[in-house]
Amino acid sequence: MRKKSSIRIKMIIAFLGYNLIFAALLAPFVLFWGPFQALKIVAVGSVYTSRHPQVVQAFLSQDEITKIMNSNDSQNINISQAIARTNVIADASSGITIEDIQGPSFKGKVMLVKDPKRVKLAVTKEIGVTGERVSDLVKDMNAFAGINAGGFYDPNGKGNGAFPDGLTVHDGKLVHNNVNDQTVNIVGFNDEGKLVLGDMTASQLEENHIREAVSFGPNLIVDGKPMISGDGGWGIAPRTGIGQMADGTVIFVVIDGRQPTWSIGATLRDLMNVFDDYHAINAVNLDGGSSSELVYNGKVANKLWDIFGERYIPTAFVVTP
């Protein structure tokens, strides 16, 4: 009897295991080729803008991807969404205020930095070799806090954040350039502490007095005008952004995602709404996904999505003493 019972249990386990494997293999086909258009739009937007766009490219042509990515841009969705603010921490000694925020499908953190000239760009000490964790980049600069900044490209397939993408400026010097004199969207600060967003070439950095900068996007708010139509076409994911109020106050926003019991994530529209709620006159999306992180007082302040902890990245915006 005991032997038969043992065989029966093994058969049940084998049956369940087979079905789980079958479901896992079938899921991408249902997701990308199935009839669920709304689910497909969200999935393509989220995965294609992650570190594994090749997953989408394996199932869909570039024309199909482009069509889906742009499918929401023409929609005029009502942008007003209530953002709840709680648990305000004002640290007078460091000139920083931190607030918890919550939207329709996400939770996150907002950090306000009164003096914009204290915001610097930290760059990995070993460009081309390896990136660093945000907590290490903050420590390198003897800073109080920091968020992940620009993206990176991966020519060696190591995924270790060694090569910042686009133009990277630190302390007024161009420290990395993989686009030659092509035009890219600049996210940075000039020598007056103003957040500068817009297309620029490497040769234009000096004439615009750019002190700290990375390349990323898209822009969310420019000169007080919202720039995102529809939901932005990038799906729902963890997000990081930086903005500035009219009085110069810098706004860091980090939104958690891909954690169904905590926070699903945000669209670009959601991220823009947060900055609008904080009266930003300029704001931009930074690298997101598993890179999204806020460090304060030597600790990670948000809930990371990556089970392996902090990701190795090339750059971070930090708040210096």
Side-chain angles (χ1 to χ4, degrees):
M1 255 329 254
R2 188 176 297 171
K3 187 176 181 180
K4 288 184 178 180
S5 178
S6 177
I7 293 172
R8 190 179 295 114
I9 292 172
K10 289 179 180 179
M11 289 178 65
I12 292 172
I13 293 173
F15 175 78
L16 292 174
Y18 170 80
N19 279 277
L20 285 172
I21 294 171
F22 180 74
L25 293 173
L26 189 63
F29 294 93
V30 174
L31 197 60
F32 297 119
W33 292 350
F36 311 107
Q37 187 64 19
L39 185 60
K40 181 191 292 186
I41 290 172
V42 172
V44 170
S46 298
V47 179
Y48 190 67
T49 56
S50 73
R51 54 175 149 172
H52 299 297
Q54 65 273 16
V55 174
V56 177
Q57 293 167 337
F59 289 90
L60 301 173
S61 69
Q62 189 57 52
D63 287 343
E64 290 176 293
I65 294 170
T66 300
K67 184 178 179 180
I68 290 171
M69 293 289 287
N70 295 330
S71 63
N72 288 325
D73 289 347
S74 61
Q75 298 176 21
N76 294 315
I77 297 174
N78 186 352
I79 69 169
S80 60
Q81 292 280 359
I83 307 297
R85 308 186 194 182
T86 59
N87 193 30
V88 179
I89 300 174
D91 187 345
S93 62
S94 61
I96 291 172
T97 300
I98 302 176
E99 300 179 357
D100 291 338
I101 58 168
Q102 183 169 350
S105 63
F106 63 83
K107 294 179 182 178
K109 298 277 188 181
V110 169
M111 177 177 286
L112 305 176
V113 184
K114 197 68 178 174
D115 182 359
K117 291 188 176 182
R118 292 176 57 199
V119 178
K120 311 284 187 182
L121 185 72
V123 183
T124 176
K125 297 188 295 292
E126 298 184 86
I127 289 181
V129 179
T130 183
E132 296 183 58
R133 299 172 300 181
V134 175
S135 57
D136 294 326
L137 291 166
V138 169
K139 187 177 179 180
D140 290 345
M141 298 282 287
N142 295 315
F144 285 102
I147 57 171
N148 61 292
F152 60 89
Y153 65 104
D154 191 12
N156 300 321
K158 294 181 178 179
N160 64 351
F163 296 90
D165 200 15
L167 302 174
T168 306
V169 181
H170 172 59
D171 198 22
K173 298 178 181 178
L174 181 63
V175 297
H176 191 72
N177 175 7
N178 70 303
V179 293
N180 298 316
D181 209 38
Q182 295 179 38
T183 299
V184 293
N185 190 56
I186 287 296
V187 180
F189 292 87
N190 64 18
D191 51 15
E192 295 180 350
K194 180 182 178 181
L195 179 63
V196 178
L197 309 177
D199 291 341
M200 207 174 294
T201 63
S203 58
Q204 294 173 318
L205 294 169
E206 187 174 352
E207 64 188 71
N208 285 281
H209 307 285
I210 302 300
R211 174 175 53 86
E212 315 283 345
V214 296
S215 305
F216 214 78
N219 297 331
L220 305 172
I221 300 173
V222 177
D223 295 330
K225 297 178 181 179
M227 306 302 292
I228 301 298
S229 59
D231 68 6
W234 279 28
I236 297 173
R239 302 281 178 207
T240 300
I242 188 170
Q244 190 172 46
M245 299 181 190
D247 66 358
T249 299
V250 177
I251 312 165
F252 290 168
V253 177
V254 172
I255 293 175
D256 297 330
R258 299 173 184 163
Q259 302 172 71
T261 59
W262 171 252
S263 175
I264 296 173
T267 64
L268 290 178
R269 165 75 67 173
D270 292 327
L271 185 59
M272 183 181 75
N273 288 344
V274 173
F275 282 108
D276 182 64
D277 198 59
Y278 278 84
H279 309 294
I281 57 171
N282 289 297
V284 61
N285 175 62
L286 295 173
D287 194 16
S290 55
S291 296
S292 289
E293 181 180 354
L294 170 67
V295 168
Y296 175 63
N297 274 346
K299 297 180 180 180
V300 179
N302 66 307
K303 289 192 176 183
L304 300 179
W305 167 70
D306 199 321
I307 60 172
F308 299 107
E310 294 182 74
R311 190 178 185 184
Y312 283 78
I313 60 172
T315 55
F317 282 115
V318 302
V319 184
T320 57

